[in-house]
Amino acid sequence: MWYEKNTVQAQLRHHFPQLADPNTYYGFRFCHQLDFSTSGALCVALNKAAAAQAYRCFKERTVTKAYLALVRGLVKEEIQTLHFSIGKNNSEGKTHMMCIEGTDGCENSKPCQTALTVLEYGLYDGEAVTKVLLQPFTGRTHQLRVHCSAIGHPIVGDFTYSSGADDSPFRMMLHAHLLHIPLDPEPMLVCAGDPFLPSVDAKWLPQRSLRPLKATVDALLEHRMDEQRQVKEMERDRVRQAEEKRANKIRKEESQEQTWRCEEWLREWAGNS
């Protein structure tokens, strides 16, 4: 909002004044958004052409995003996909919140999906928590926060979706860890570290590791790239089939034209005879 002072754009303008563009409202071209309490990778384009390319990738959902989170409790199902539709909450006092379809006050819900993978089990400030990797396949407002809350495992420090109960941590434990944008001719891949380590926050105490972060992210990226290659191959096949169909139609029309001309010549020849 216009009255906010400590914003990302203010920080960017302070650290990189030479990159600010006076022709834009914010001074910078933000290609997507993070919740104010979420840390991590954020894409900011430095010119209009780069912004247009990035916008197109986000719009076509070819961008790969992966988030790290600490969630309350022990998530039993290690790998799962969450399919809760999300809409705006029109209940009194909750209009700043989103909600899942079927709950009181939920309106205009839209389908959305999130893949959840358990990385570690442990304790945060003495309470059971799970470290997870979250991959949103859609981009609904507060999607990850709402989905985690919907399965009974709200994100640690999420004041809003814990009904105001989770107010003790110094931050919400949600971090945009990976951002892959398939720009042409060269894709952009950014990994924004891992803030949920005992060396960073002594209250986080891992107890059992199920899978390493790097290997999990590498497998996610490889799977995503395979999917996109298959989509491109299908598109190439579709274009080739359309061209072949068009060529066959032209050949057929030419053949019909030749047949007609031949028949016309035969009729003329028979008449002359």
Side-chain angles (χ1 to χ4, degrees), residues 98-221:
M98 306 299 286
C99 53
I100 61 171
E101 186 178 32
T103 56
D104 292 340
C106 192
E107 62 179 18
N108 299 325
S109 60
K110 297 179 180 179
C112 49
Q113 291 182 326
T114 302
L116 182 151
T117 303
V118 174
L119 300 174
E120 290 181 289
Y121 295 119
L123 301 173
Y124 187 83
D125 202 15
E127 296 185 7
V129 297
T130 305
K131 184 175 181 177
V132 298
L133 186 72
L134 301 169
Q135 183 187 3
F137 296 120
T138 47
R140 309 298 181 206
T141 301
H142 296 178
Q143 176 176 322
L144 302 181
R145 299 165 66 184
V146 174
H147 273 181
C148 288
S149 179
I151 61 171
H153 298 284
I155 296 172
V156 174
D158 191 345
F159 182 83
T160 300
Y161 291 99
S162 65
S163 300
D166 203 346
D167 61 352
S168 57
F170 69 99
R171 59 161 292 177
M172 183 174 71
M173 305 300 176
L174 180 61
H175 177 74
H177 173 62
L178 173 118
L179 186 63
H180 179 272
I181 306 178
L183 300 172
D184 188 31
E186 186 176 349
M188 184 182 75
L189 175 62
V190 176
C191 281
D194 178 3
F196 308 135
L197 300 170
S199 58
V200 178
D201 187 350
K203 291 184 178 182
W204 161 236
L205 179 62
Q207 292 187 316
R208 184 161 68 95
S209 176
L210 272 67
R211 46 186 63 82
L213 174 60
K214 186 179 185 306
T216 305
V217 168
D218 288 347
L220 180 154
L221 266 178

Side-chain angles (χ1 to χ4, degrees), residues 1-12 14 36:
M1 301 298 289
W2 62 269
Y3 53 80
E4 297 285 353
K5 303 300 181 185
N6 189 20
T7 63
V8 174
Q9 73 182 73
Q11 295 293 328
L12 286 173
H14 174 71
F36 79 95

Side-chain angles (χ1 to χ4, degrees), residues 81-94:
T81 301
L82 312 178
H83 294 276
F84 301 101
S85 294
I86 293 176
K88 186 78 174 175
N89 195 331
N90 65 1
S91 301
E92 186 177 354
K94 295 184 178 181

Side-chain angles (χ1 to χ4, degrees), residues 233-259:
E233 288 175 3
M234 290 173 62
E235 179 61 20
R236 282 195 294 267
D237 288 342
R238 188 191 66 79
V239 171
R240 187 180 68 252
Q241 290 172 5
E243 289 175 348
E244 289 176 353
K245 187 176 181 181
R246 204 160 40 241
N248 289 335
K249 183 180 179 182
I250 292 172
R251 282 195 293 269
K252 184 178 180 180
E253 290 174 349
E254 289 175 346
S255 178
Q256 289 174 341
E257 177 71 13
Q258 290 173 351
T259 300

